[in-house]
Amino acid sequence: MEMRADVLIVGAGMVGSALALALRHSGLEILLLDGGPLSVKPFDEQAPFEPRVSALSAASQRILERLGAWEGIAKRRAAPYTDMHVWDGSGTGQIHFSAASVHAQVLGHIVENRVVQDGLLERLHDSDIGLLANARLEQLRRSGDEWLLTLADGRRLRAPLVVAADGANSAVRRLAGCETREWDYLHHAIVTSVRCSAAHQATAWQRFTDEGPLAFLPLLRDGKQDWCSIVWSTTPEQAEQLMALPDEAFRKALERAFEGRLGEVLEADPRVCVPLRQRHAKRYVDEGLALIGDAAHTIHPLAGQGVNLGFLDAAVLAEVLVNACERGERLADVKVLSRYERRRMPHNLALMAAMEGFERLFQANPLPLRWLRNSGLKLVEQMPEAKALFVRQALGLSGDLPDLAKA
Ligand SMILES: Cc1cc2nc3c(=O)[nH]c(=O)nc-3n(C[C@H](O)[C@H](O)[C@H](O)COP(=O)(O)OP(=O)(O)OC[C@H]3O[C@@H](n4cnc5c(N)ncnc54)[C@H](O)[C@@H]3O)c2cc1C
């Protein structure tokens, strides 16, 4: 038997789930499918932190609030941060950003990806959106004016509009033949959670080492500020060595790389190593097809922006589809879908280019470039206006915002 929907969203990660919820009152028949289970895990406050976390911007928080998911996130675990410290490990340049500088309460929240996911899933289970768990897409082809999808277990689905929200290695993108521009950062990221002897002071810390950026992001449990999530981006060779170190040697290496800013590293959870690759789809849309989130773009985690861009993609695409519905337009029409691409691609590209430049500047060893970044950091540190601009950008509250992210 074949199932049919008006919009079929492949991938119920944070971004696909957000899109499905944003379309819940549209009157459209939505089907959201994922290769994994779609159950909500009971939350245990004492459970170790999940290694994958995201720094959610104020814009993402607003979107999640309007989708009804923020309450479930906040009642589980979310760590607000008010300040950010960035410094050059091979010089004296440093810069400090604060929420207070733009009269905001926080710069954002560090939240475990699983917590965000469960907050969204809770709302999805309360809605009448069709959910298909353990539904891995294997084949996709045009069939008349529609797409015909075949799952790994042989089930078949049909829809005039398919949205790829199936992550960085998107099967939809590959099967539909969408081209990408991509390159290796020649970086791997080691991700884990650590307990430090000094409090993190609700601050996100980032040190640029010769090998790559090392971030300590504040976590919160029982109101205590002693745990941080770390993202250590480094060369594949060093990552391999660090992954092989016994626990105590790893903690010491981490402490040294971080100049002991938060005292001793007393405990470290198991490490995960992720190869980093920048990817950007040349087009986000085609007839009956739209790419969102990591399926459309992946960006270096030093920006802490990946999922924030994804939530904006989801909110803009939902807005475009709902408006088109109201005007009686055909949603699968590439002219309709291009409105989404026109609003999101320039924004995503600009941020990716800025991060690329930043990353290269900090990777560079020639003396003039080291001097430039050191003096650059010192110069910007003395320019409150420039810093405020950066903070507003990080809050995600500037530019062409969808209604879901507006105040
Ligand atoms: C080390 C690291 C640190 C990061 N830190 C941050 C940060 O601080 N802030 C931030 O904003 N972003 C951060 N990011 C990026 C962020 O994690 C991603 O942008 C985000 O997870 C993308 O969400 P998504 O829903 O698009 O894709 P995903 O989370 O990858 O979800 C894709 C979903 O699709 C499903 N799927 C895949 N293939 C199929 C298939 N064939 N059939 C059916 N279902 C399928 C998967 O099961 C999954 O549920 C970081 C990334 C890394 C690597």
Side-chain angles (χ1 to χ4, degrees):
M1 195 192 73
E2 273 180 16
M3 292 175 81
R4 207 194 159 281
D6 296 323
V7 184
L8 227 158
I9 306 169
V10 182
M14 296 185 277
V15 175
S17 299
L19 173 67
L21 276 178
L23 289 172
R24 68 196 183 287
H25 302 309
S26 61
L28 293 165
E29 205 168 319
I30 313 291
L31 198 52
L32 175 65
L33 61 97
D34 200 279
L38 293 176
S39 45
V40 179
K41 275 209 287 189
F43 184 69
D44 170 7
E45 277 173 32
Q46 296 311 316
F49 291 100
E50 294 280 337
R52 294 289 300 265
V53 306
S54 297
L56 298 180
S57 67
S60 293
Q61 181 181 345
R62 268 189 203 157
I63 292 172
L64 291 163
E65 277 167 0
R66 297 207 168 120
L67 298 180
W70 185 256
E71 205 185 319
I73 293 170
K75 79 163 190 243
R76 288 179 170 86
R77 265 194 311 228
Y81 65 101
T82 55
D83 294 76
M84 193 189 292
H85 260 293
V86 180
W87 74 101
D88 184 357
S90 54
T92 51
Q94 59 171 314
I95 195 159
H96 169 231
F97 300 104
S98 73
S101 69
V102 292
H103 310 290
Q105 301 221 305
V106 297
L107 287 179
H109 289 79
I110 308 295
V111 190
E112 293 149 88
N113 288 3
R114 183 71 240 173
V115 165
V116 180
Q117 186 70 59
D118 282 352
L120 289 161
L121 278 174
E122 247 168 18
R123 293 282 75 82
L124 283 167
H125 284 292
D126 293 344
S127 73
D128 53 11
I129 289 162
L131 299 178
L132 271 189
N134 305 314
R136 175 151 291 275
L137 171 74
E138 276 209 347
Q139 288 174 39
L140 170 94
R141 66 175 173 82
R142 292 299 283 177
S143 163
D145 285 344
E146 298 192 318
W147 292 99
L148 179 63
L149 288 77
T150 310
L151 305 181
D153 59 11
R155 277 180 289 176
R156 283 153 52 114
L157 314 164
R158 262 180 198 281
L161 174 57
V162 170
V163 179
D166 51 348
N169 296 311
S170 169
V172 175
R173 192 184 62 214
R174 177 174 44 83
L175 294 168
C178 305
E179 286 185 66
T180 54
R181 284 194 191 86
E182 43 190 283
W183 58 94
D184 260 323
Y185 280 119
L186 300 176
H187 263 172
H188 285 190
I190 297 179
V191 194
T192 185
S193 314
V194 299
R195 185 165 69 86
C196 299
S197 63
H200 53 57
Q201 305 146 56
T203 298
W205 307 81
Q206 183 136 260
R207 175 184 187 243
F208 283 89
T209 74
D210 285 342
E211 287 76 31
L214 167 60
F216 273 55
L217 306 172
L219 297 170
L220 208 54
R221 186 161 52 199
D222 299 331
K224 289 205 204 110
Q225 295 193 333
D226 51 352
W227 280 89
C228 287
S229 166
I230 67 139
V231 183
W232 192 347
S233 310
T234 184
T235 58
E237 297 73 35
Q238 199 195 14
E240 198 181 325
Q241 287 162 13
L242 290 169
M243 287 299 287
L245 286 180
D247 183 71
E248 192 184 343
F250 174 75
R251 286 189 282 114
K252 289 287 164 218
L254 180 61
E255 223 173 272
R256 272 195 306 279
F258 199 56
E259 299 172 357
R261 283 274 175 126
L262 293 180
E264 276 179 78
V265 177
L266 302 170
E267 263 182 83
D269 281 345
R271 290 151 247 168
V272 179
C273 185
V274 194
L276 300 179
R277 200 169 168 74
Q278 164 132 300
R279 253 189 225 95
H280 196 250
K282 289 187 181 169
R283 295 284 322 258
Y284 292 178
V285 297
D286 201 342
E287 184 68 23
L289 184 70
L291 272 49
I292 61 172
D294 273 24
H297 44 73
T298 53
I299 177 172
H300 198 292
L302 90 87
Q305 286 298 330
V307 81
N308 293 310
L309 299 184
F311 282 140
L312 287 169
D313 291 350
V316 169
L317 180 59
E319 197 167 294
V320 164
L321 294 178
V322 169
N323 288 342
C325 256
E326 283 166 6
R327 287 194 216 127
E329 293 173 305
R330 196 171 57 86
L331 301 189
D333 188 342
V334 71
K335 282 200 224 103
V336 168
L337 298 171
S338 295
R339 294 173 198 151
Y340 151 69
E341 184 183 74
R342 278 200 299 278
R343 284 180 65 185
R344 291 302 303 148
M345 196 181 256
H347 179 253
N348 292 340
L349 271 174
L351 194 90
M352 288 172 89
M355 284 308 131
E356 182 70 11
F358 215 53
E359 201 257 347
R360 284 186 190 205
L361 184 62
F362 277 92
Q363 281 290 75
N365 264 327
L367 206 55
L369 286 181
R370 289 166 77 126
W371 174 84
L372 182 69
R373 73 183 181 220
N374 227 317
S375 344
L377 282 179
K378 285 183 191 156
L379 191 70
V380 177
E381 176 62 8
Q382 289 152 22
M383 295 164 67
E385 280 309 312
K387 286 208 302 183
L389 201 71
F390 182 92
V391 173
R392 277 192 279 273
Q393 195 73 32
L395 292 173
L397 297 177
S398 49
D400 171 17
L401 290 177
D403 286 347
L404 279 176
K406 281 185 187 150

